Amino acid sequence: MTDVDNLFREYLAEHRAGGEADPRSFLARAEGADRLELAALIEAILERSPGREWDAVAFAGSPAARAAESVATEWDLEGEVEEASVGWRELLPALRNRVQVRRRDLVARLAEGIGAPGQEEKVAAYYHQMEHEQLPAAGVSNRVLEVLGGILGQSAETLRAAGRVVSGGAVEDTAMPAFSRKALEDPQYGAPSAASPAEAERTRSAEPDLVDELFTGGPDAGT
Amino acid sequence: MMPADGACGGGYRWTPPHRRAGEGPRQEPGAASDQRLLGYDALMFREKKDFELDRLSDEELIAYVVAAREAGRLDAARVGLSIFAHRRFDDLVRRALVRVPTRQDAEDLAGQTLEGVFKAAFKGEAVGEAVNFMYTILARRIADFTDKRKGRETEPLPEDMDDEERKRRDAAISPDETGKVDLADVLERLWKLLSPLHQKVVDDYVFDGYDAKETAERVNIQLPDLDKPMTDQNVHKIASRFREDLRGALGA
């Protein structure tokens, strides 16, 4: 075997054993034409490598993890911009369809989650207003958004950002009703709840309670 | 030696034939997305467990990440990204270290490559043979890096750098040594000129590290209808000729 053969086999063995396999350590031991040949072989073997099996422990804190975090941070920043184009009117029904939960079931889970079991009707009225962008996002508590986000598979932050947007339009300080676009609903999951805007109005005019506070008292309400 | 299924230590695993380099052209950006062909799209997105993601090919994993992100599931997209990064990052760094002197530079280039792969995928560009696509991006980043370094004064080495690291810094292949020649491309071009039988011999003997006898046995098992059975002497001849051609093409 030539020196290049030996060096390459040695490299291959170290690479397969999960060692450092730093090509420079091997290239430093070859000269001239041998160096180029060895470099070509090493490049080829790296491009043919199947890569590492997933190992969450080894990944944590590794340079690969830092690189991935850097890429994901870019996505987050881009995502914030993207979120500003979709409001609750589009987002909430779409998320509901995606996780395949009926509105009445969502309302029941939401009521339970915010500590208001038995008040599904009132929660349904507020949720109805959210889906129609008739409830100011600034008034909705973190607790509501966290529970809702848990049901819909989204973060509370994402839901709040979407709540500041009028679907199809610009970001608003206060949520104004907007009817320019309508989200497509899967009829199976979009069955209308008992709540209507008129009922919602009646709900609002009653004596304020925990549910009112959580949906209109601001981010920290209920804490 | 490697067991029959190709599994071996150190987190290594079997390479499905379709993921071998050289079986598809180097992928250039710009083609339409093939996500739907791979069975992923945002509307149908379903989260997968780590172990399921780890079984996906690179192409499927990238398509999964794109679908997750489009579905607004950044958490799921991050998991897919992590598994892809863990799978590929170290080899990207090693590949960069053939050409750049410091590990920090190599890690930066590998990170940029990772970013480039997903940026292209998010734009709807087909990543096709993902490994080829990835190494094409890396080659461009390395070229940009070496161009920027040209004409710059050599930075002084840190005083506390050990001898081993000093040697390593000098070992990277410089553009002056190769001219415009892309070493990996030269090798792949030669490999493609081989017959399928000789490609198999080169794969097993040169790149998978089997010895000549094992290589001959493997070929004879997989191709039982050969006019003459493969012998270890033939393996040596085929491999030697390939290496001679490689040295010739590299100008050696």
Side-chain angles (χ1 to χ4, degrees), chain A residues 40-41 44-45 48, chain B residues 17-25 129 132 183-208 238-239 241-243 245-246 249:
Chain A
L41 290 168
I45 197 66
R48 285 161 189 253
Chain B
H18 71 275
R19 278 173 55 186
R20 298 266 183 175
E23 294 194 2
E129 190 81 25
N132 285 342
L183 302 179
D185 272 355
V186 168
L187 188 145
E188 290 302 331
R189 273 205 307 276
L190 289 174
W191 184 88
K192 283 179 193 170
L193 293 174
L194 299 174
S195 69
L197 174 62
H198 288 198
Q199 284 179 348
K200 167 114 192 78
V201 169
V202 169
D203 281 351
D204 283 5
Y205 182 72
V206 179
F207 297 119
D208 286 342
I238 293 165
R241 203 175 306 138
F242 177 73
R243 296 281 299 278
D245 290 346
L246 176 61

Side-chain angles (χ1 to χ4, degrees), chain B residues 130-175:
Chain B
V131 171
N132 285 342
F133 182 78
M134 187 172 70
Y135 282 109
T136 301
I137 294 178
L138 178 64
R140 288 179 186 169
R141 299 286 184 272
I142 291 171
D144 291 345
F145 174 87
T146 48
D147 281 350
K148 280 181 192 164
R149 280 175 62 94
K150 269 183 198 165
R152 239 194 253 169
E153 279 184 31
T154 310
E155 293 165 18
L157 298 180
E159 286 181 8
D160 58 350
M161 181 179 282
D162 61 34
D163 287 346
E164 183 60 29
E165 185 56 25
R166 280 175 200 274
K167 276 185 204 161
R168 286 178 171 182
R169 282 180 73 105
D170 294 337
I173 301 289
S174 75

